[in-house]
Amino acid sequence: MSKPVYGKNAAQSRNVEKIASPIWALVVAFILFLCWAPFQVGLFNGQQLDFEKPIYVSSLLSGLLLLVCLGLYYKKFKIDEQRDLVASASILLPLTYALSLFVAVSHYTSMNMLFIQSMYVAVFIIAFYLLKQKQVNVVIQNAILAI
């Protein structure tokens, strides 16, 4: 009764993709960031002094994680694939906020929004490249569900 009636028996793949330990370290750091960031006072432009420290710390941490991710995946980046084009195009969002700095009424709050949008793009790009591997994808999915 355990064998399927139709089709072939499902066989496990013997060549399981090996993931390097620096990538696992990035995954752990990314999960820790995802555990820490949502429970701060507010990662939005609340225009109050209480909101600024979490914004600056989270944008700094996401920028460092992005630098590590770029260091690990710089050889795999090819502009030929549509995925890499989406990752490159996502950088245009903070650039639009940077362009609006020239005519901003409040330069200070505009800089906060630039930091916030840069953090969003950094998290997007990190998740974009990490979720390509099936094992890492499952680990991050389970971590998000557990958080």
Side-chain angles (χ1 to χ4, degrees):
M1 199 56 130
S2 65
K3 289 188 176 183
V5 179
Y6 300 110
K8 296 181 179 179
N9 292 337
Q12 292 289 336
S13 176
R14 292 181 192 248
N15 52 0
V16 177
E17 178 181 344
K18 299 286 184 188
I19 298 173
S21 59
I23 294 177
W24 282 115
L26 179 64
V27 169
V28 169
F30 185 64
I31 289 172
L32 289 175
F33 177 77
L34 290 178
C35 287
W36 174 80
F39 301 110
Q40 294 304 304
V41 174
L43 292 179
F44 57 95
N45 201 1
Q47 299 173 355
Q48 292 180 358
L49 198 58
D50 297 337
F51 296 126
E52 292 175 2
K53 183 181 175 186
I55 289 172
Y56 297 149
V57 171
S58 61
S59 62
L60 177 70
L61 290 175
S62 64
L64 291 174
L65 286 174
L66 182 63
L67 287 176
V68 171
C69 182
L70 291 175
L72 291 174
Y73 287 103
Y74 74 95
K75 287 186 180 179
K76 294 181 183 178
F77 181 78
K78 295 177 184 171
I79 204 72
D80 300 338
E81 296 180 12
Q82 187 175 2
R83 286 182 168 183
D84 296 325
L85 188 62
V86 169
S88 300
S90 67
I91 298 172
L92 293 176
L93 184 63
L95 284 178
T96 58
Y97 279 89
L99 286 175
S100 70
L101 281 173
F102 295 119
V103 293
V105 174
S106 172
H107 183 76
Y108 186 70
T109 56
S110 296
M111 282 300 294
N112 283 349
M113 283 305 294
L114 178 65
F115 289 144
I116 292 169
Q117 294 300 322
S118 300
M119 178 188 59
Y120 290 160
V121 168
V123 168
F124 173 75
I125 291 173
I126 292 166
F128 194 75
Y129 283 107
L130 284 180
L131 296 178
K132 285 183 181 181
Q133 291 106 358
K134 188 173 182 178
Q135 292 175 331
V136 173
N137 193 341
V138 170
V139 168
I140 291 178
Q141 284 179 16
N142 290 332
I144 289 174
L145 287 175
I147 293 169

